[in-house]
Amino acid sequence: MRPAVTRLLGIVPPAAPPRPRDWRTVEAALGTPLPDDYKRLVETYGGGLFDDTIWLLDPDCADPGYELLALADERDEILADLWDGGEPNPAELLDGDARVIPWAYVEGSGHYLYWLVRPGQHPDSWTVMLNEGRGPEWEHHQQTCTGFLVGVMTGDVESFYFDDLPGMDHRFEPNDEILTAT
């Protein structure tokens, strides 16, 4: 296991063993391989909510509001409309064929966490882009999605958007528990 996933296990244990994922089908639908740390994260925890704040998208979630592929399509359309309408692209996306793919969102805020996908870059080198969701502001973090998640939970990530973290107690609530309870 990669160090960030191992470190996350020391911070918050998984709730229950998740279901297996068909990564070939998911990656074919996205048109790109996904980072190994994300696949290990989902295979270890499944989709769900970390510290009542960061909602990990899952390619196997029955609810499209929390499903990786559905949100990737939705966010592509929304961002294209915003940029076509004149909202400025973040500087990191002005590099030709660079794009973003969502992997999580911030509960109750409209913020989305994306991978910055650059042509020719291996998925394990993708870094994190945060969009405030209700405006044009973006933050770029030079770390993997799991490294970013651990950093937010430990206070090692500096972000305007996570000023209320880290909390004292860490927890993970899987989609299966949250979405069946509502």
Side-chain angles (χ1 to χ4, degrees):
M1 237 182 247
R2 293 204 164 194
V5 176
T6 302
R7 189 166 176 212
L8 185 60
L9 286 168
I11 296 169
V12 60
R19 297 176 309 277
R21 304 303 189 269
D22 180 357
W23 293 114
R24 281 192 182 151
T25 300
V26 171
E27 292 171 336
L30 283 173
T32 183
L34 290 169
D36 287 337
D37 76 311
Y38 169 76
K39 292 189 279 190
R40 288 190 180 114
L41 183 60
V42 171
E43 289 169 356
T44 302
Y45 289 91
L49 191 59
F50 285 92
D51 283 359
D52 297 320
T53 304
I54 298 177
W55 205 298
L56 180 65
L57 303 179
D58 182 353
D60 194 38
C61 186
D63 187 319
Y66 307 95
E67 198 268 334
L68 178 72
L69 295 174
L71 279 173
D73 288 343
E74 176 185 290
R75 298 307 305 166
D76 280 349
E77 288 178 28
I78 289 170
L79 291 173
D81 286 347
L82 289 170
W83 295 331
D84 288 346
E87 186 170 298
N89 284 18
E92 293 82 2
L93 293 182
L94 298 177
D95 177 21
D97 293 325
R99 68 180 184 145
V100 290
I101 299 173
W103 60 271
Y105 78 92
V106 181
E107 179 71 14
S109 69
H111 310 330
Y112 276 85
L113 296 165
Y114 296 89
W115 289 292
L116 174 58
V117 179
R118 292 187 167 128
Q121 186 179 41
H122 191 277
D124 291 340
S125 299
W126 293 353
T127 55
V128 173
M129 296 283 294
L130 181 147
N131 174 246
E132 69 178 328
R134 296 183 178 132
E137 298 301 318
W138 290 78
E139 286 183 352
H140 183 216
H141 297 271
Q142 292 283 350
Q143 41 197 166
T144 65
C145 65
T146 306
F148 180 83
L149 180 59
V150 167
V152 167
M153 294 176 78
T154 60
D156 293 338
V157 164
E158 291 185 30
S159 172
F160 175 79
Y161 301 100
F162 292 104
D163 60 350
D164 58 340
L165 290 176
M168 295 298 290
D169 296 315
H170 301 290
R171 65 189 205 148
F172 175 76
E173 297 173 83
N175 286 343
D176 291 346
E177 289 179 16
I178 298 169
L179 300 176
T180 57
T182 58

